Amino acid sequence: MEKKGFGNTKAVPDEAPKPRSKPLKRPRQARAVFTVEAIYQAFVRIWQRDGWAAVTTRAVALEAGFAVGTLYEYFPSKQALFSGYVRHCIEQLLSRIDEQVIAPPLDWRTRLSRLLWLSCGPQESIYQLFSFEVAQLEIQVAEPRHHLRAYQELLGKWQQVFAACSDLPQPATAARVEALLLMVWGGRRYAALAQLDEARLRSWVVEMEQLLLAALADSARTIPSESNCD
């Protein structure tokens, strides 16, 4: 039987996007936040259990226990639901970095290790967004400006993390922080396209952790600039 869900290795069939592939509004009141969260949970359950083809706005509404009209107040299509869920996961990650990495009194090694595992660990909820299937679906809903926005938000959060590492052997420059972000997130996204299994992914994170910490421990060493590499 073919395994379905986020890890499905089959290419997602072409599906013409509906006129509106973005959420209509963001929940503001507590009740609305609860409703949208329940919709997202139902969306994920159907997707993981039955695959993307089984996801419909009606099926998600029934799974969540709401009228279809309630779902349509926020999501006019399943593409809009997918787009909203991706945004929701990114916001959750940024919030968890604030709470678990930036706020606590940690030494720099623990702080950066925690940042890496929160961002890339296969046990984290953000892992659901890194799969071959999701990469195919992104084409339907994501525009260059959406990728740029997410990148800028992640970069800003990483800069905050490094700013909190007051005990680093040497403060990391903005260029180094961005280079490390690209190294980590670029590798993570390519691992999804290569469809690495969880064991290989975990090994990659362990190796990346060692490389990251070693590079920063040795940050006092002068790195030749491009202009001096002639």
Side-chain angles (χ1 to χ4, degrees):
M1 179 179 295
E2 177 185 332
K3 182 180 179 181
K4 298 180 178 180
F6 286 94
N8 194 342
T9 58
K10 291 184 65 178
V12 177
D14 292 337
E15 181 177 340
K18 296 184 179 181
R20 177 82 186 193
S21 60
K22 301 295 180 293
L24 294 174
K25 61 181 180 179
R26 295 173 62 88
R28 301 297 181 186
Q29 303 299 324
R31 183 173 181 178
V33 171
F34 173 82
T35 298
V36 170
E37 179 66 33
I39 289 172
Y40 284 146
Q41 291 175 5
F43 167 70
V44 171
R45 284 197 301 272
I46 294 173
W47 192 356
Q48 291 181 323
R49 184 182 66 221
D50 304 321
W52 176 253
V55 175
T56 66
T57 51
R58 180 173 296 277
V60 172
L62 291 173
E63 180 85 14
F66 297 114
V68 177
T70 299
L71 185 145
Y72 280 149
E73 291 180 16
Y74 301 94
F75 309 107
S77 67
K78 74 178 189 178
Q79 287 81 10
L81 184 50
F82 171 72
S83 177
Y85 178 69
V86 170
R87 183 69 210 161
H88 172 71
C89 288
I90 292 174
E91 290 175 350
Q92 281 194 322
L93 173 62
L94 297 175
S95 178
R96 293 183 71 186
I97 292 174
D98 279 331
E99 296 170 358
Q100 300 181 33
V101 180
I102 296 176
L106 304 170
D107 65 88
W108 71 269
R109 291 177 180 273
T110 303
R111 201 182 300 274
L112 295 181
S113 292
R114 189 172 292 185
L115 172 65
L116 181 65
W117 282 96
L118 269 179
S119 301
C120 300
Q123 79 284 356
E124 299 298 333
S125 58
I126 194 70
Y127 174 69
Q128 296 175 343
L129 295 184
F130 290 100
S131 72
F132 181 78
E133 185 179 26
V134 170
Q136 306 307 300
L137 292 171
E138 276 187 348
I139 299 172
Q140 297 184 26
V141 299
E143 301 172 11
R145 63 189 177 92
H146 299 136
H147 289 293
L148 178 60
R149 177 186 175 185
Y151 176 77
Q152 290 173 334
E153 289 176 339
L154 287 167
L155 177 59
K157 195 59 63 179
W158 274 54
Q159 289 169 340
Q160 291 177 37
V161 171
F162 275 84
C165 294
S166 58
D167 56 338
L168 267 173
Q170 180 171 315
T173 65
R176 171 160 288 198
V177 174
E178 185 165 20
L180 293 172
L181 172 72
L182 285 167
M183 179 177 69
V184 169
W185 280 88
R188 185 61 187 84
R189 288 183 66 87
Y190 198 72
L193 294 177
Q195 302 179 62
L196 298 187
D197 60 29
E198 183 174 332
R200 292 177 68 190
L201 177 61
R202 188 175 295 276
S203 295
W204 173 78
V205 179
V206 169
E207 292 296 327
M208 187 60 63
E209 180 181 26
Q210 294 177 2
L211 289 171
L212 177 66
L213 297 181
L216 291 167
D218 196 32
S219 60
R221 181 173 60 88
T222 301
I223 305 296
S225 65
E226 186 176 331
S227 61
N228 294 330
C229 294
D230 297 332

